[in-house]
Every structure is written in C-alpha cells, then in structure tokens.
Amino acid sequence: MSAEVQAGASQPALKKTLTFWWIYAIAVGAVVGDGIFTFAGYGVKSAGPSMVVNYIVGGVAQLFLMLSFGELVVWKPTSGGPEVWVRELVGWDWGATSSMLFSLGWVLAGGATGLAIGAYTHNFLLHIGIDLQPVDIWISVIAIAWLTIFAYLNVIGVEVAARIQFILVVVLVGIMVLYSILMLPKMSPANFTPFVPNGWMGTFAVFPIACHAFMGASTVLFASEEAKNPVDVSRVLLWSSITFIVVYTSALLAAVGTLSHGEVEKFVESIYVTSALKEYGPLFANVINLAAWIAAATCLLMGTIYQPPRDMYNLSRVGYKVPKWMGYVHPTYKTPTKNIWVIWAISVVFVILGQVAGQTTIYQLLIYQLVWLWCVSWAFTLRAAFNFRKRYPGEAAKLPWKVPFWPFTPIIGGVGIFLCAFAMFQDIYANYGGPITIGFAAAGIIIVGGLKVTTAHIKPDSVR
C-alpha cells in the first residue's frame, strides 16, 4: 500500500461541493486580481499604448499554458495541485517543491495584495470625506482587517467563500465591461501616439506585468478535489482565460485611449480610476475604485487564503513528514481551518513588513518574486503534462478532456514561461540596477533550492 493511501485512509476528506460557476469565479477572481489595477499603470508608463500588445500576447500564452494542464486535472483530481502529478511523473524531490512554490507565491501576494486592498479602502474613505492619518499605518490596519474577514469566510465553508467570490466576480466583470463601453466614445487617437515610446525592448521589459495580471487561473488546479465534477476545472481553465483576455484587454485599451502618457500614474492610483475621474467625474471614479477593491478581495479570498491551506493539507495526507495538524479538517465545516489561520498570520506579517520597508518597492519586488516562483512551478507541471502523454498514452486517450492541438499548445505555454522570466529580470535590472537584480535572483534560487532540500527531508521514508 502506498504512503498516500495509508495517510489518506485515516484522515477526513474535504467536501466535494464546487460547481462549474464557483470554480469559474475562483479562476477569474484570482486572474484579475490587483495586478490589473495597481500594476497596469506601471506597465503603461513604461511601454505606452503598446502595453495592450503585452496583454494580448501574455493572455494568449497563459491560455495555452492553462489548457496544457487540463488532462492532469481529470487524471488525478487533487487538493495538492502539481504535487501529485510532478511527484509521479517527474520525481518525489520536485513534487512538493512545485506545489510549495505556487503556495509561497500566493503567500507573497497576501502581503502585496493586502497592501493594495488597504490602499483602495483608504482611498475610498478619503473620497467620502474620511481622512485617516497616518496613511501608511491605516492602510496596514485595514489590510489586516480584511485578511481576517476573508480567513473567517474560508474557515466556515468553501461553499460560503466560493459563493461570495462568485458575487464579487460578477460585479467586477460587469463594472469593467461597463467601463469599456462608456469609454469607447471618449477615446482619442492622439493618445495612441507614440505607440511604442521606449522601443519594443521597452515594451518587452514589462511583459511580466501582463503575465502577472493573468496568471492566477491555475489556482483552480488545487480545487479539483473539492469539485463535484473535476472536468469542470479543465473547462474553467479554458473559459476563464477567454474571459480575462477579452474583458481586461478591452478595459486597458479604453484606459490607454482616454489618457495621455503624462496622465498615467505608476502606483499612486489605478489608471482606470484616473481615466474614469477625467471623463465622468468622482462618482464613476469611485465605482472603478470599488472594482479595484473587489479585484484585490477576490485574490485574497480564494487565492491567498484558499490555495496554500489545501497544499498543506495534501502534504499531510500524502504522507510527507509534516506536522500532523496540517492534515486537520474541521468536522463540521470540512475545511483545513488550522492551515487557513497559519496562512492568515503569515500574510499579516508580510503586510507589516511592507508597511515598514516601503509599500511601492516591496509591492513590485514581492509581485516579481511571485512571478518567478510560479514560472518555476509551471515549468515542472508542464513537464509532467508532457511525461503523462508519453508514459500513459492509453489513459490519456480515455480521458473526458483532451489538451487541444497537442503538442503545439504546451510548447507555446512553455515559450510564454521563458519570455516572462527573462523579461522580468530585464525590467528589474533596468529599474533597480545590478546589485538588486543579483540579490533578487539569488533570493529566487535560494527559495527554489531550499524547498527542494526541504522536500528531500520530509518525503516518506518508504521512497528514500
């Protein structure tokens, strides 16, 4: 009997309750995130109107990558995402490493996105006449308050959190579609000139920002065990990708078309809020600010607070030598409650560190470290997808979901991973110089290497 079966036999299971639309809300909410709002201005300031090209190319690359994972999901549904597939198809030492890299990315996002939701809330209060001072302290306090609420919602049931996520996503997408429509008659051709102000290399340098904006959909890989029908997860990987490519590329096009280059803010305010304020006044600007808040909320609710606890639970169930409490599932709520509060606490620490060290710099470097960690995790998951077709062609042929246009689809996804990582380091070097770039790269390598060493030490004795 395998270690996974032995461990899983005595442990309670998560509740199979997620339907297609709830899984869809997890994917779309994790995708749009705060990157669509806070980081978009940085991209447009650097690339000008050609940032729209990054969104299209980055979105399509992410679409092909997400489709490449669809067969693995229905082959072995799991709360551990790539851990199960990489462990069997690549090797034990990289199994937990690949899933923990993804989880660590979401933990980093908890700090960055927490700061963003704190800033959005403070900005909204300021617009209605409530000026909380000092600003930095209040942003952190508000961020921790929202993290606490989202953690509690996850504790009392995945169906509760998913239902709220669905409502938030419907409102968010509706607002952004409305924004694109209302801005259409306001767009000026003059704002698209020059289209490439810093050359195509300048455009390529901020390609990772587009990737970051669209990269959260793979969070649903960890939801397949709680799905009523795991095939729904594969379908969501397709339809959520189409949704964000169309809706958010259109919104960026509208923002670029209504703002001159000099009106674009890097971090202080979302370019969509700036655009809405310019064309329709403070009321509509507050509506867009609400959308930015919702985007950050969906990332925290069913991203940071949802995914890492499932990964921790899976590690315990599979038989890794981790604390027993990581495998605890609440007898009534059927959620990994202890893991949820641990991730909440870590996210709070990152919010505080961000407030102490400086929000703008920490925000960008945290997000770029997330991009790096997820690129590595995806690379191993993509390798597992190739190995699955190679080792188990018979099983692949019988699956109710097939990766379309094989092997073209995963190849394009792999190219997207490489371009994203390469451009990220180029942008860090251009903005922060050699020492910061070297330090950032060293930190990334240490994290990956450290997790691999950790995996080697915690894997079951039976596979050593």
Side-chain angles (χ1 to χ4, degrees), residues 56-197:
I56 295 173
V57 175
V60 171
Q62 295 297 301
L63 168 62
F64 277 77
L65 186 63
M66 296 303 104
L67 289 175
S68 302
F69 302 151
E71 291 178 351
L72 297 174
V73 168
V74 295
W75 174 53
K76 287 193 175 182
T78 172
S79 62
E83 186 279 328
V84 174
W85 314 315
V86 174
R87 165 167 47 89
E88 180 166 338
L89 297 167
V90 179
W92 267 93
D93 286 357
W94 288 112
T97 303
S98 61
S99 66
M100 288 192 292
L101 285 170
F102 196 88
S103 296
L104 182 55
W106 265 125
V107 170
L108 294 178
T113 309
L115 290 173
I117 199 170
Y120 294 146
T121 306
H122 187 275
N123 191 34
F124 176 79
L125 294 174
L126 185 62
H127 282 180
I128 62 175
I130 302 175
D131 185 8
L132 299 176
Q133 297 291 336
V135 175
D136 287 350
I137 297 296
W138 273 105
I139 285 176
S140 298
V141 170
I142 294 169
I144 293 170
W146 282 118
L147 279 167
T148 305
I149 292 171
F150 297 147
Y152 175 74
L153 291 173
N154 270 277
V155 163
I156 62 177
V158 66
E159 66 273 19
V160 175
R163 187 180 295 115
I164 294 174
Q165 178 89 345
F166 178 77
I167 294 171
L168 291 174
V169 165
V170 169
V171 175
L172 173 60
V173 172
I175 290 174
M176 298 314 295
V177 169
L178 177 64
Y179 168 84
S180 298
I181 293 173
L182 291 179
M183 289 299 166
L184 188 61
K186 303 288 187 176
M187 294 170 63
S188 170
N191 290 328
F192 290 92
T193 303
F195 188 72
V196 189

Side-chain angles (χ1 to χ4, degrees), residues 102-112 303-304 307-308 343 346-347 350 366 370 374:
F102 196 88
S103 296
L104 182 55
W106 265 125
V107 170
L108 294 178
T304 294
Q307 181 272 323
I343 296 303
I346 295 173
S347 298
F350 273 109
L366 280 177
L370 178 155
W374 282 10

Side-chain angles (χ1 to χ4, degrees), residues 414-456:
V415 171
I417 293 175
F418 172 78
L419 291 177
C420 181
F422 180 81
M424 177 187 66
F425 283 103
Q426 178 184 346
D427 189 45
I428 294 174
Y429 180 78
N431 284 279
Y432 296 101
I436 294 294
T437 305
I438 293 172
F440 179 91
I445 293 172
I446 290 172
I447 290 172
V448 174
L451 289 179
K452 185 179 184 298
V453 171
T454 300
T455 299

Side-chain angles (χ1 to χ4, degrees), residues 167-349:
I167 294 171
L168 291 174
V169 165
V170 169
V171 175
L172 173 60
V173 172
I175 290 174
M176 298 314 295
V177 169
L178 177 64
Y179 168 84
S180 298
I181 293 173
L182 291 179
M183 289 299 166
L184 188 61
K186 303 288 187 176
M187 294 170 63
S188 170
N191 290 328
F192 290 92
T193 303
F195 188 72
V196 189
N198 297 313
W200 283 109
M201 287 306 295
T203 299
F204 176 68
V206 289
F207 178 68
I209 295 174
C211 293
H212 164 252
F214 293 151
M215 70 194 323
S218 55
T219 300
V220 299
L221 299 178
F222 294 80
S224 56
E225 188 172 325
E226 294 172 282
K228 289 185 176 180
N229 182 2
V231 176
D232 284 341
V233 177
S234 301
R235 297 190 181 109
V236 163
L237 290 170
L238 169 63
W239 291 108
S240 64
S241 299
I242 293 175
T243 299
F244 62 68
I245 291 172
V246 173
V247 173
Y248 291 96
T249 302
S250 299
L252 182 67
L253 187 67
V256 170
T258 52
L259 294 174
S260 66
H261 193 264
E263 294 175 303
V264 175
E265 294 280 359
K266 274 191 173 185
F267 288 107
V268 176
E269 186 174 62
S270 163
I271 60 172
Y272 304 106
V273 173
T274 304
S275 168
L277 180 63
K278 174 186 176 182
E279 301 296 345
Y280 289 99
L283 179 60
F284 193 47
N286 276 331
V287 172
I288 302 303
N289 194 55
L290 172 63
W293 181 93
I294 294 175
T298 56
C299 260
L300 293 172
L301 177 62
M302 296 301 285
T304 294
I305 304 298
Y306 171 78
Q307 181 272 323
R310 268 67 185 176
D311 186 24
M312 296 165 66
Y313 161 77
N314 175 74
L315 294 178
S316 176
R317 179 191 59 178
V318 168
Y320 286 93
K321 293 187 290 185
V322 296
K324 291 184 178 180
W325 56 261
M326 286 173 56
Y328 173 80
V329 172
H330 194 281
T332 302
Y333 301 139
K334 303 298 182 184
T335 57
T337 53
K338 294 180 181 180
N339 298 344
I340 290 171
W341 288 118
V342 167
I343 296 303
W344 167 85
I346 295 173
S347 298
V348 167
V349 170

